[in-house]
Amino acid sequence: MHIMEGYLPLTWCIIWFVISFIVVAFGLYQIKKIVDETPESKALLAVSGAFMFILSSLKLPSVTGSCSHPCGNGLGAALFGPAVTAVLATIVLLFQALLLAHGGLTTLGANIFSMGIVGPLAAWLVYKGLTKANISSTIAIFFAAFLGDLLTYVATSCQLALAFPGPGILMKFLTIFAVTQIPLAIGEGILTVIIWDRLKAYKPKLLDKLGALAPNEA
């Protein structure tokens, strides 16, 4: 979903930058608060960012001006919330734009909005909703990762449709993205479950301290 350098009109670049800046600024505040209260969570923050970086670097060609790939944003959202994940996504997207020619600097705000805000927010809402219903966190994290990935692409489709309006253009973007993204989102969900179960086995107290477990698992 990385929209490439120079693809979006300047107006939309500015709009997405402003929106993303507000969320990322709040995320930085939350990270400081989390690290102050739970210093042992620093390594988990790094793992969440690395997971996102690796998965989102596995790009496949998609529609003109973008690409398809896993996102890795569900794990960070379940652990730390959407605003913190927006900060992690910012770091990931900046490195990818500078070092891998994946995405761009002018479109950084738009890419943060889709992969760092919309996707993580969807993942966080799904995860919290399912765990509060006493559904296993393992099941919850699968659907969080799956929908966090898929909603990232819905957001990108909407961004492209807004930038280049036309009859039926949104449906065209959604249709093309869905063909490659649904199986990728399922695969990401399964991989996230594997990592999550390892975290539950080795770091249950930390997950509990972060409030990331279902009530019946705490």
Side-chain angles (χ1 to χ4, degrees):
M1 49 54 60
H2 290 46
I3 302 174
M4 69 181 183
E5 181 68 46
Y7 192 73
L8 292 180
L10 179 60
T11 301
W12 283 109
C13 290
I14 294 172
I15 290 171
W16 299 125
F17 258 113
V18 171
I19 296 172
S20 296
F21 176 80
I22 295 170
V23 178
V24 170
F26 179 63
L28 288 170
Y29 164 77
Q30 284 198 316
I31 287 177
K32 184 180 184 305
K33 184 178 178 182
I34 290 170
V35 169
D36 287 345
E37 295 176 354
T38 318
E40 61 270 33
S41 66
K42 291 179 183 179
L44 205 50
L45 271 168
V47 168
S48 300
F51 184 66
M52 191 186 304
F53 180 85
I54 293 170
L55 287 195
S56 60
S57 296
L58 304 174
K59 57 183 179 178
L60 300 171
S62 187
V63 296
T64 301
S66 191
C67 58
S68 291
H69 54 75
C71 297
N73 49 15
L75 180 65
L79 289 169
F80 301 107
V84 171
T85 310
V87 177
L88 300 178
T90 301
I91 297 169
V92 167
L93 290 165
L94 186 59
F95 269 86
Q96 289 174 339
L98 292 173
L99 302 178
L100 302 178
H102 190 188
L105 296 179
T106 60
T107 56
L108 183 63
N111 291 330
I112 292 171
F113 181 80
S114 57
M115 194 175 92
I117 297 175
V118 174
L121 179 60
W124 179 75
L125 289 172
V126 169
Y127 184 78
K128 289 299 182 183
L130 291 177
T131 52
K132 283 184 178 179
N134 275 329
I135 293 173
S136 166
S137 63
T138 299
I139 296 174
I141 198 66
F142 172 82
F143 285 104
F146 172 79
L147 290 173
D149 182 305
L150 206 56
L151 267 292
T152 295
Y153 282 81
V154 170
T156 300
S157 298
C158 292
Q159 288 174 314
L160 294 173
L162 286 169
F164 307 102
I169 191 68
L170 176 59
M171 189 53 61
K172 290 179 182 178
F173 281 126
L174 288 171
T175 301
I176 295 171
F177 273 131
V179 171
T180 55
Q181 202 54 35
I182 290 177
L184 286 176
I186 293 172
E188 178 175 336
I190 294 171
L191 180 58
T192 307
V193 164
I194 294 171
I195 293 175
W196 186 261
D197 282 345
R198 292 300 87 200
L199 288 175
K200 282 172 64 176
Y202 292 105
K203 295 291 183 180
K205 291 182 180 179
L206 179 56
L207 294 185
D208 187 29
K209 197 170 182 180
L210 291 172
L213 296 175
N216 60 353
E217 295 175 333

